């Protein structure tokens, strides 16, 4: 019934851990300094946002198969962050340090339209 579905959804919201993955492409014109500031900015977030319980940063290896994939070129950067629940993810999403990282370090060098993200129960 719909009541049971609402109850199950409420349980998932409260107790299920959440993983956030975001990927995007950096502009070819981005400097090594800008890319370094972007990666160091992401890696500094767990110290500033206690809701982040685990994280991983990946920089594409630019292997030929990923650069010439029939479905499209690989993204440049992947960021994964883990949270105890969806409320902690939402806190992170709106956190001033996270927003500043996006505005100051990511937005200036991202290729528009390349961001892809997902949040799911892990």
């Amino acid at each position: 019934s719909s009541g049971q579905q609402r109850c199950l959804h409420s349980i998932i919201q409260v107790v299920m851990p959440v993983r956030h993955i975001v990927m995007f492409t950096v502009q070819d014109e981005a400097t090594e300094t800008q890319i370094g500031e972007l990666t160091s900015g992401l890696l500094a977030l767990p110290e500033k946002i206690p809701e982040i319980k685990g994280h991983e940063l990946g920089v594409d290896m630019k292997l030929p198969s990923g650069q010439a994939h029939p479905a499209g070129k690989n993204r440049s950067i992947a960021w994964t962050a883990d949270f105890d629940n969806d409320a902690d993810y939402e806190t992170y999403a709106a956190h001033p340090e996270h927003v500043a990282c996006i505005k100051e370090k990511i937005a200036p060098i991202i290729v528009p339209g390349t961001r892809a993200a997902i949040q799911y129960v892990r």
Side-chain angles (χ1 to χ4, degrees):
S1 76
S2 64
Q4 288 174 323
Q5 288 175 334
R6 281 194 303 274
C7 181
L8 180 59
H9 186 256
S10 295
I11 290 169
I12 288 171
Q13 284 182 314
V14 173
V15 299
M16 301 299 286
V18 172
R19 175 162 287 161
H20 164 64
I21 301 175
V22 63
M23 297 184 295
F24 51 87
T25 300
V26 172
Q27 297 170 8
D28 290 338
E29 300 79 26
T31 67
E32 289 299 318
T33 299
Q34 288 174 307
I35 295 169
E37 288 174 356
L38 183 156
T39 58
S40 62
L42 287 169
L43 290 171
L45 290 177
E47 294 174 12
K48 300 172 180 179
I49 306 172
E51 286 79 8
I52 298 173
K53 300 303 181 190
H55 66 281
E56 187 170 49
L57 175 70
V59 177
D60 188 60
M61 296 171 64
K62 298 192 180 193
L63 299 175
S65 60
Q67 298 305 297
H69 194 278
K73 186 176 171 180
N74 282 4
R75 302 296 194 250
S76 308
I77 304 285
W79 169 250
T80 302
D82 294 328
F83 304 89
D84 286 340
N85 52 57
D86 65 332
D88 283 357
Y89 167 76
E90 294 294 347
T91 297
Y92 156 83
H95 195 284
E97 293 288 346
H98 175 238
V99 173
C101 183
I102 293 168
K103 287 182 179 178
E104 297 167 13
K105 300 181 186 318
I106 298 172
I109 61 171
I110 191 174
V111 173
T114 63
R115 180 189 179 274
I118 185 172
Q119 297 80 42
Y120 60 91
V121 174
R122 12 176 228 114

